[in-house]
Amino acid sequence: MITTSVTIEELRTLIAGVLETEPEEVTDDAHFAHELDIDSLLMLEISTRVESAFGVPENAVAASGATTLAELHAFLTSQLTPEPPTSPLIRPRPVSDPAVRLFLLHHAGGSHLLYRGWAEHFPEDWELCFLEAPAEAPCRPCR
């Protein structure tokens, strides 16, 4: 499972754990090989732990070519994708204190896309809320 975000502090702590040192010693721009004395075996251990902790594909960290904590963080951030929204409520034009909040429900088998473009036909102080009901699994034939 891929994590949706990673902080530089989480990476600093992870690398410090592998190096058995204090996190403060792993600065953002300290070169892994030259300043932190990370050899190929330690880099393999760091790569494996990062990939496991954040769900990055195997060998991605080593292939990234990152040589500092800041570069590694930038690489991981580019690889991680946000999770899709879990709320079935879609608000195309959120209004903080609406005069009217109108909920629109699509027909069975339809989707919220039926109502796209409707918001422009209502007053600015009205908030439209579309409910995207989850799709049901298709029926299986009886035997």
Side-chain angles (χ1 to χ4, degrees), residues 120-134:
E120 64 191 46
H121 300 290
F122 289 90
E124 292 293 318
D125 62 346
W126 283 33
E127 181 178 38
L128 274 61
C129 301
F130 309 150
L131 180 67
E132 184 61 34

Side-chain angles (χ1 to χ4, degrees), residues 6 11 50 54 56 61 71-80:
V6 57
L11 284 175
V50 167
F54 302 108
V56 178
V61 171
E71 288 177 8
L72 181 58
H73 181 255
F75 168 74
L76 288 174
T77 302
S78 73
Q79 296 298 303
L80 303 176

Side-chain angles (χ1 to χ4, degrees), residues 109-123:
S111 81
H112 73 281
L113 296 175
L114 171 70
Y115 302 110
R116 74 174 169 244
W118 279 35
E120 64 191 46
H121 300 290
F122 289 90

Side-chain angles (χ1 to χ4, degrees), residues 27-101:
T27 62
D28 293 3
D29 296 318
H31 193 277
F32 289 154
H34 302 300
E35 296 169 78
L36 296 176
D37 293 326
I38 297 175
D39 61 14
S40 58
L41 289 176
L42 279 174
M43 195 61 208
L44 180 62
E45 179 65 23
I46 289 169
S47 297
T48 302
R49 289 191 189 188
V50 167
E51 291 160 359
S52 296
F54 302 108
V56 178
E58 190 174 322
N59 298 320
V61 171
S64 74
T67 59
T68 66
L69 178 63
E71 288 177 8
L72 181 58
H73 181 255
F75 168 74
L76 288 174
T77 302
S78 73
Q79 296 298 303
L80 303 176
T81 56
E83 292 179 3
T86 57
S87 173
L89 191 64
I90 299 165
R91 300 167 55 204
R93 186 181 67 194
V95 178
S96 61
D97 188 23
V100 173
R101 185 170 281 136

